[in-house]
């Protein structure tokens, strides 16, 4: 009975979310005009650029600290990266990531499982980057000055919040309240980010999966494991 009531309440919340987002957007437009939405475009470009630089950093590390070649890796992981972008869920992509690492890239089972299965729950670098940038964006939009200590606090809480984020679409918005609260930013402005989060969520999930792949490749080492030779069959 309690479970059924909980489901009904959750469905009410889901139905009310669009109305709440519309109310937040209307309030911002009514009090500040369309200026924040112009800044939102710059925020989107900044997040995409930061995620791209993070991806390049992963590929550089893979190139110099593992036997896997970056181009071969991207070809082998294509199915997992496309699924991560289309679903926005690292958990849903997890079995595809593991299969691609083991069967198409050729990593050892231990390395593939550590990065794909364990990393998908704890290694969410794209989410951490996004939450930190979102907090800085809202602070700039409100004209709130953040001290160096507060900026370091944003970095720290973003890392903690990304670890606690579930591997489901847009889960980072829930844990983002921790980042905003830590530096005194109004959490109601998180609703403003919902207008663009559906796209940025897919971008950061793709980077999250690529981060898991990076860990697996580094664990596999600089030399490729040689498959044991099949035992010879004794002649009768």
């Amino acid at each position: 009975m309690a479970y059924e009531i909980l489901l009904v309440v959750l469905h009410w919340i889901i139905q009310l979310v669009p109305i709440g987002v519309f109310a937040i957007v209307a309030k911002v437009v009514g009090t500040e005009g369309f200026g924040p939405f112009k800044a939102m475009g710059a925020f989107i470009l900044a997040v995409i650029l930061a995620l791209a630089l993070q991806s390049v950093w992963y590929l550089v590390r893979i190139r110099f600290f593992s036997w896997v070649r970056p181009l071969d890796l991207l070809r082998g992981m294509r199915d997992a990266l496309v699924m991560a972008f289309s679903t926005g869920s690292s958990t849903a992509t997890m079995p595809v990531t593991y299969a691609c690492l083991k069967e198409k890239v050729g990593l050892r089972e231990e390395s593939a499982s550590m990065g794909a299965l364990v990393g998908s729950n704890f290694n969410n670098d794209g989410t951490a980057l996004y939450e930190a940038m979102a907090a800085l964006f809202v602070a700039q939009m409100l004209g709130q000055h953040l001290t160096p200590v507060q900026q370091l606090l944003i970095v720290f809480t973003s890392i903690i919040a990304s670890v606690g984020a579930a591997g489901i679409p847009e889960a980072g918005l829930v844990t983002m309240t921790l980042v905003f609260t830590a530096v005194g930013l109004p959490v109601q402005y998180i609703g403003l980010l919902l207008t663009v989060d559906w796209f940025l969520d897919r971008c950061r999930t793709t980077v999250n999966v690529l981060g898991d792949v990076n860990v697996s490749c580094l664990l596999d080492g600089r030399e490729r494991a040689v498959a044991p030779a099949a035992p010879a069959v004794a002649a009768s």
Side-chain angles (χ1 to χ4, degrees):
M1 184 64 181
Y3 177 71
E4 294 178 354
I5 295 175
L6 177 62
L7 288 179
V8 171
V9 173
L10 288 176
H11 280 93
W12 287 349
I13 295 174
I14 292 173
Q15 292 174 357
L16 290 174
V17 163
I19 300 175
V21 173
F22 175 78
I24 293 174
V25 172
K27 177 184 177 182
V28 172
V29 173
T31 56
E32 304 179 32
F34 289 96
F37 289 94
K38 295 179 181 179
M40 187 79 74
F43 169 69
I44 295 173
L45 293 177
V47 171
I48 293 176
L49 178 61
L51 292 175
L53 290 175
Q54 191 168 8
S55 301
V56 171
W57 169 241
Y58 286 151
L59 296 177
V60 169
R61 293 179 66 189
I62 291 171
R63 173 64 181 84
F64 289 102
F65 298 102
S66 76
W67 62 266
V68 184
R69 302 283 75 87
L71 291 180
D72 295 335
L73 175 74
L74 293 177
R75 282 192 290 265
M77 296 303 303
R78 180 175 53 194
D79 293 343
L81 296 177
V82 170
M83 185 172 182
F85 185 83
S86 60
T87 62
S89 171
S90 56
T91 300
T93 312
M94 182 170 55
V96 181
T97 304
Y98 175 73
C100 289
L101 285 172
K102 186 179 177 183
E103 300 170 7
K104 295 186 178 181
V105 179
L107 299 186
R108 289 188 292 263
E109 182 178 359
E110 296 82 358
S111 304
S113 60
M114 181 63 71
L117 306 183
V118 179
S120 62
N121 294 314
F122 298 100
N123 186 35
N124 299 316
D125 297 339
T127 301
L129 183 149
Y130 173 75
E131 293 190 354
M133 293 188 68
L136 294 176
F137 165 72
V138 172
Q140 291 179 352
M141 185 180 69
L142 297 177
Q144 180 173 334
H145 176 71
L146 297 176
T147 65
V149 174
Q150 287 178 311
Q151 294 179 32
L152 289 176
L153 186 59
I154 286 177
V155 173
F156 178 74
T157 53
S158 296
I159 295 173
I160 299 300
S162 68
V163 173
I168 58 176
E170 302 188 54
L173 288 176
V174 178
T175 57
M176 195 182 294
T177 56
L178 171 65
V179 182
F180 276 50
T181 304
V183 292
L185 292 174
V187 295
Q188 60 264 29
Y189 279 89
I190 295 177
L192 186 64
L193 300 174
L194 275 171
T195 56
V196 297
D197 190 71
W198 63 272
F199 172 70
L200 295 178
D201 176 51
R202 283 153 175 75
C203 295
R204 66 177 181 263
T205 300
T206 304
V207 174
N208 287 342
V209 172
L210 189 59
D212 300 337
V213 172
N214 167 71
V215 172
S216 294
C217 292
L218 295 182
L219 289 175
D220 215 56
R222 295 175 180 269
E223 297 183 3
R224 186 170 188 172
V226 180
V233 180
S236 56

